[in-house]
Amino acid sequence: MTGSFLTTLDGSSSGVTPIWLMRQAGRYLVEYKAVRNSEPDFISFCLNSDKAVEVTQQPIDKFDFDAAIIFSDILLVPWAMNRNVRFVPGTGPLMDPITAASDFSPNNLDLIGSKLSPVGEAIQKCRAGLANKKALLGFAGAPWTIITYLIEGQSSRDFANARKWLWHNDRQIEELMDTVIEATVRFLEIQARNGADALMLFDSWASAVPADRRDQIVIKPAQKIITELRKRGHQQPVIGFPKGIGEGLLAYCDQVDIAGIGLDHGVDPVWAAKNLPSHITVQGNLDPLSLIDGGEMMKTSISRILDAFADRAHIFNLGHGITPETPVQHVYDLVSQIRGYSA
Ligand code: CP3
């Protein structure tokens, strides 16, 4: 595949800025909702490879994005390992919180390969149906983000229970971390083996990790995952997304062998352009909420990002997932502004 996405992720700044958006398959699209409503249970939906392929393809057909991201979820990993994950409409994901590391037993690791094989099938079908120049991304949650769900049992405002474990149960955190790392590697391997062109590691709640524990909880686990993938023969470029770690991006970029770094909307693109290592491609970082109003303010914000990254390899994206209330017209506006830009 030699499209602009992979070339840019490889470090070339070719004058064209590739675009894709986190959560580009989602509830802001009526087409998505129609397929989604045909499968009331979210996990069955993710594991129905034909439906997953259909919704993965929708935003590519509609907006001509440069990359598709396989429709799946980071919480399929705890689900596969027998945590009772369910998605409750209006509430989000729920599971019974673990009370000890042994509740997430390494004895269940083999279930990843068997229960998540539909994600591999979806990747194969998707790759076969996509134009050559479009990249297909696979993804997983980074260990800390998965651990927050295991311990909290749901999304959380401040992740107080997970953070308490960091201080109170350090041994158990280490044990849990080892299991989650192996589970994540296996989930990514399924995707790599079946044709994902690049892999993204979502550490959506990295901002909750105290700065002095980032190395142990965010950086080393990400690096271990990449080292394991390489050892097992998978060479796909990886994009790290340690959301909300501010100055911690410097250590992350320095110590994790990533091709790209996802930037959240809290990062000043001018700072990032100047301070992040030039061999790492930057991806981001428009505030997804700017798309709700669109118009001039969104336009100015997009221009500022494009200008800041004009001299380096940059993949345009949002700073987090697109929200359900986003008007589709504003996505068209965003795409046409970026396609019309020349540095
Ligand atoms: O288009 C894409 O980006 C690919 C699909 C994708 C989904 N989840 C589908 C989904 C991706 C990359 C994810 C990752 C994911 N899932 C993350 C990390 C990225 C981030 O946003 O920070 C996290 C934390 C999750 C866990 C998760 N899954 C939550 C918190 C929710 C509920 C959110 C909500 O808005 O209700 C989900 C469900 C989910 N995963 C939806 C989608 C499109 C919405 C549910 C639905 O359609 O019914």
Side-chain angles (χ1 to χ4, degrees), residues 311-330:
D311 294 331
R312 58 183 291 163
H314 172 220
I315 295 165
F316 196 91
N317 205 315
L318 306 178
H320 202 190
I322 191 166
T323 61
E325 60 265 56
T326 302
V328 162
Q329 182 57 46
H330 297 168

Side-chain angles (χ1 to χ4, degrees), residues 13 15-19 268-270 273 282-286 298-317 333-343:
S13 149
V16 222
T17 304
I19 318 169
D268 180 353
V270 174
V282 288
Q283 174 175 278
N285 71 339
L286 182 70
M298 176 179 90
K299 209 168 159 190
T300 306
S301 195
I302 293 173
S303 295
R304 187 164 183 273
I305 294 166
L306 292 172
D307 288 346
F309 295 136
D311 294 331
R312 58 183 291 163
H314 172 220
I315 295 165
F316 196 91
N317 205 315
D333 294 346
L334 173 153
V335 172
S336 86
Q337 184 182 345
I338 296 162
R339 298 259 193 256
Y341 180 85
S342 57

